[in-house]
Amino acid sequence: MNIATPTKIQYEAIIGLETHCQLSTHTKIFCGCSTAFGTPPNTNICPVCMGMPGVLPVLNQTVLEYAVKAGLALNCHISLFSKFDRKQYFYPDLPKNYQISQYDLPIAENGWLEIELVDESGLNPVQKRVGITRLHMEEDAGKLVHAGSDRLAGSSYSLVDYNRTGVPLIEIVSEPDIRSGKEAAEYAQELQRIIRYLGVGDGNMQEGSLRCDVNISVRPIGQQKFGTKVEIKNMNSFSAIQRAIDYEIERQIQSIETNIPVIQETRLWDESNQCTMSMRRKEGSSDYRYFPEPDLTPIELSSGQLKNWQGDLPELPAQKRHRYVSSFGLSAYDARVLTEDRPMAEYFESVIAAGANPKQSANWIMGDITAHLKTTKQSISQLSINPSDLAELIHLIEANTISSKIAKEILPELLVHGGSPQSLIDQKGLTQISDTGLLMAAIDKVLTANPQELEQYRQGKTKLLGFFVGQVMKQTGGRADPKLTNQLLMHKLTD
Amino acid sequence: MLKPEEVRKVASLARLELTPDEEGQFATQLSDILTYIEQLNQLDTTDVLPTTRAIDGSNITREDHLTPYANPRLILQGAPEPEGEFFRVPKIGGE
Ligand SMILES: [Zn+2]
């Protein structure tokens, strides 16, 4: 994104994201403790994750599987030989005083992710590839829960909950390919979709299962040298990522324009004040003194194993978006909405597999069905109307057996009780009347009953046609074929 | 011989407070260790694959089965300053 400034110098932002994503395993990465969120403080802890002397961590094989699958989904090269390392630093949320992570041999490297950007109207989609530098496995730290102040002793302290310590994470580092807050938010959102499609994590930003740190610098367009890089943390929604970056781009440009040097530092996004704030510099440098973790064996993968995991991958959101546009003729916007989550996409595909028209199916799902799910706070998998029932309903409209008005009228019942739309309309006698004789009889009745309107129509007030159609509908309990009724009425009235 | 500022840096990374006497003492001891490593470096290891551990083996993993620890409270009680359900720790600057 180019940012215009009063002095006409054009700037560009260079942005990269580091994303931490919790994996949804039952147990922690190196011990059998539960990873459940929201359990009482310090109950999911054991000597291994608390770093007691003499304990032995053992890798959870599901963590490896999930990390490799995420790497494959991000088009990464998977390392057939990989290992863990210790990253040394002191912080109270880290009981061992080191974090087990991966340093020089991460499980996955050199991938990419496709993001799709649409304009305000939801049209004109543009695809962009963002490079993935690396993806590695590591353990999460604990949580500083509450900072109190001990006034008597004159010292302040914090409280720590170590339940989260050792929960498996993958850290995904992007190339500095991102140029705007919008692109960054879209990148993070696409990562979330992929994680959820794979079923390897819940990607919940509010609960902290998906956390994004941003690296950002600004430079005049055309300048080779990068500007000073600033790190931003503490954004817990996609829109916060976008706003924090847009704010920071402006702040850095202002600094450059007013000759105040941009300092290399970590800043926190302040949601209530909508700005980034300098975080007090951590004492000591970030000299992590990585060394190979001696308690864990290296990981060697066979190509057969990789092939199996590759075979397990579902069709991913970007692939689905492309297919919905190219094979089903949907708009980019519709394709995006329907592929937002996997159950919705799968429901839609089942409706089509049952023979329904893709555009009609999309309209019903994105319209009435989504509205119903919102009001009942249900997920699509809890829906009573199954995909083949919806396909049948769409067929009935296309075959002129019922009007779409009738379809909408019977939908609430189908949404609650499910079942075959055909039997429901049979049972209620709602089949559309397409019999010319029956319709003509109804039309005659309506014209006779409304001589005044008929006279006005004949004198040129032709918009009364709608009134007559409405009367015929009333006469037939909404069952008259609207198109045919229109034609017959026109014919009759112009006689 | 390690310089005093190098000793101080290592000490601060390890969160150790050293007296000037100790700084001198560690400068000597750490230098001895580094000298020993220098000796090892004289070996030609061109054709030797780097190793990170003393025991061979790879892919030792476990299944994702829950094996909760029987007494997490015991760990909490062993802490210098437990407070209710929490571990109490010194406040960190910048928090
Ligand atoms: Zn544990």
Side-chain angles (χ1 to χ4, degrees):
Chain A
M1 187 164 94
N2 303 341
I3 303 102
T5 67
T7 49
K8 300 285 177 230
I9 300 176
Q10 299 262 304
Y11 291 89
E12 67 175 347
I14 311 292
I15 303 160
L17 262 68
E18 280 173 26
T19 309
H20 286 90
C21 175
Q22 282 180 359
L23 299 177
S24 55
T25 53
H26 302 295
T27 66
K28 293 185 177 182
I29 182 169
F30 301 121
C31 62
C33 290
S34 166
T35 55
F37 182 81
T39 37
N42 294 305
T43 48
N44 298 332
I45 58 174
C46 77
V48 175
C49 54
M50 290 302 285
M52 297 295 170
V55 296
L56 192 65
V58 184
L59 178 63
N60 179 340
Q61 62 193 32
T62 307
V63 171
L64 177 63
E65 175 189 334
Y66 285 3
V68 170
K69 284 182 174 173
L72 290 169
L74 294 171
N75 307 290
C76 287
H77 168 76
I78 305 297
S79 312
L80 294 181
F81 184 87
S82 176
K83 69 172 170 72
F84 285 98
D85 301 273
R86 290 187 183 180
K87 178 181 179 177
Q88 335 276 329
Y89 65 95
F90 289 86
Y91 206 73
D93 62 8
L94 193 72
K96 297 198 292 290
N97 293 335
Y98 60 84
Q99 179 192 28
I100 303 179
S101 182
Q102 295 195 285
Y103 183 50
D104 55 339
L105 294 173
I107 189 72
E109 286 178 287
N110 298 326
W112 52 267
L113 158 67
E114 184 186 281
I115 58 170
E116 184 178 81
L117 301 150
V118 287
D119 62 20
E120 304 280 301
S121 64
L123 300 171
N124 307 313
V126 180
Q127 277 88 28
K128 174 175 176 164
R129 272 190 189 186
V130 176
I132 304 291
T133 314
R134 57 183 280 157
L135 177 155
H136 69 253
M137 298 174 274
E138 62 184 28
E139 54 180 348
D140 208 343
K143 242 184 201 166
L144 291 170
V145 186
H146 164 259
S149 172
D150 187 342
R151 281 170 199 275
L152 283 176
S155 68
S156 48
Y157 60 92
S158 298
L159 300 175
V160 200
D161 174 7
Y162 289 113
N163 279 346
R164 203 178 66 178
T165 300
V167 168
L169 294 175
I170 46 175
E171 180 178 328
I172 301 160
V173 182
S174 88
E175 289 288 297
D177 291 343
I178 297 165
R179 293 290 170 271
S180 68
K182 192 178 172 187
E183 284 185 17
E186 190 51 54
Y187 166 88
Q189 218 165 336
E190 187 69 10
L191 264 186
Q192 183 193 55
R193 286 186 200 109
I194 292 172
I195 293 298
R196 289 180 173 174
Y197 265 63
L198 294 174
V200 302
D202 65 23
N204 187 326
M205 284 192 98
Q206 271 71 44
E207 288 180 4
S209 2
L210 186 74
R211 313 194 282 270
C212 295
D213 298 340
V214 168
N215 282 308
I216 172 170
S217 67
V218 158
R219 67 178 172 190
I221 287 180
Q223 178 182 303
Q224 281 297 303
K225 201 171 152 263
F226 288 117
T228 308
K229 191 164 77 178
V230 170
E231 186 181 28
I232 330 174
K233 289 175 181 280
N234 200 38
M235 295 140 298
N236 61 4
S237 70
F238 298 120
S239 78
I241 292 175
Q242 180 164 351
R243 282 177 279 125
I245 289 176
D246 290 342
Y247 173 89
E248 189 60 21
I249 291 174
E250 268 315 305
R251 189 190 70 85
Q252 293 187 21
I253 291 174
Q254 290 295 319
S255 289
I256 296 167
E257 302 249 302
T258 49
N259 289 318
I260 299 165
V262 174
I263 305 162
Q264 182 167 353
E265 61 179 349
T266 298
R267 298 178 70 86
L268 294 182
W269 173 244
D270 180 347
E271 185 67 40
S272 44
N273 293 308
Q274 296 288 302
C275 64
T276 63
M277 304 276 279
S278 183
M279 199 171 118
R280 224 182 299 162
R281 232 74 47 81
K282 273 187 226 159
E283 52 175 309
S285 60
S286 54
D287 184 346
Y288 293 126
R289 293 149 295 144
Y290 282 97
F291 71 79
E293 168 59 65
D295 289 342
L296 288 161
T297 57
I299 303 145
E300 289 183 84
L301 294 173
S302 69
S303 50
Q305 181 66 84
L306 277 190
K307 226 178 180 175
N308 281 345
W309 283 336
Q310 179 87 57
D312 286 347
L313 297 190
E315 187 182 30
L316 294 166
Q319 296 166 317
K320 281 197 192 294
R321 288 197 297 265
H322 286 298
R323 187 163 66 89
Y324 286 12
V325 171
S326 63
S327 310
F328 299 148
L330 296 190
S331 71
Y333 176 81
D334 290 358
R336 217 176 136 82
V337 174
L338 290 168
T339 56
E340 190 55 44
D341 69 76
R342 192 173 159 189
M344 167 95 82
E346 284 174 352
Y347 187 93
F348 169 70
E349 289 173 24
S350 305
V351 176
I352 292 178
N357 170 296
K359 271 194 176 152
Q360 292 304 323
S361 310
N363 289 345
W364 281 96
I365 293 170
M366 292 165 58
D368 295 73
I369 289 183
T370 300
H372 170 76
L373 295 176
K374 268 194 188 136
T375 45
T376 57
K377 294 200 167 67
Q378 274 184 313
S379 73
I380 200 154
S381 46
Q382 297 168 284
L383 210 54
S384 296
I385 178 169
N386 63 42
S388 57
D389 296 337
L390 181 61
E392 188 176 299
L393 186 70
I394 293 167
H395 270 303
L396 289 169
I397 304 163
E398 282 189 323
N400 267 333
T401 311
I402 53 170
S403 63
S404 34
K405 189 165 166 284
I406 295 284
K408 294 221 180 221
E409 278 173 25
I410 62 167
L411 188 67
E413 193 167 336
L414 290 169
L415 286 171
V416 176
H417 303 294
S420 154
Q422 178 73 63
S423 34
L424 188 62
I425 58 167
D426 286 348
Q427 179 197 322
K428 297 199 161 200
L430 291 171
T431 316
Q432 183 152 276
I433 304 169
S434 307
D435 181 287
T436 316
L438 286 176
L439 286 177
M440 279 311 288
I443 288 169
D444 284 340
K445 228 176 180 176
V446 165
L447 295 183
T448 319
N450 299 284
Q452 249 180 319
E453 284 77 6
L454 182 60
E455 190 52 35
Q456 288 171 347
Y457 183 93
R458 294 222 157 106
Q459 280 164 11
K461 207 171 170 191
T462 51
K463 65 176 178 198
L464 277 171
L465 179 68
F467 165 76
F468 292 123
V469 174
Q471 290 301 307
V472 173
M473 282 296 174
K474 210 170 160 191
Q475 188 80 46
T476 58
R479 291 165 57 212
D481 177 336
K483 219 165 134 192
L484 190 57
T485 305
N486 242 297
Q487 284 171 1
L488 292 172
L489 257 170
M490 286 282 279
H491 201 255
K492 181 88 185 173
L493 291 166
T494 47
D495 257 358
Chain B
M1 191 71 172
L2 233 59
K3 295 192 195 92
E5 56 264 35
E6 288 173 318
V7 176
R8 278 196 288 271
K9 189 192 171 194
V10 175
S12 97
L13 286 171
R15 294 295 188 279
L16 295 175
E17 262 181 80
L18 301 183
T19 63
D21 279 356
E22 285 169 329
E23 276 175 22
Q25 190 188 343
F26 283 120
T28 316
Q29 289 181 358
L30 290 171
S31 296
D32 287 349
I33 294 169
L34 291 176
T35 312
Y36 174 61
I37 301 290
E38 278 305 311
Q39 276 176 38
L40 290 179
N41 275 343
Q42 290 166 17
L43 278 174
D44 181 7
T45 55
T46 324
D47 295 324
V48 182
L49 279 177
T51 180
T52 57
R53 28 199 342 276
I55 305 162
D56 273 341
S58 61
N59 297 352
I60 296 178
T61 58
R62 60 178 183 86
E63 283 185 45
D64 186 23
H65 289 159
L66 210 58
T67 51
Y69 183 58
N71 203 346
R73 281 286 160 265
L74 210 59
I75 299 179
L76 184 62
Q77 282 155 22
E81 285 189 279
E83 183 174 309
E85 302 171 290
F86 294 100
F87 291 83
R88 182 167 155 165
V89 296
K91 194 175 169 111
I92 298 298
E95 269 306 305

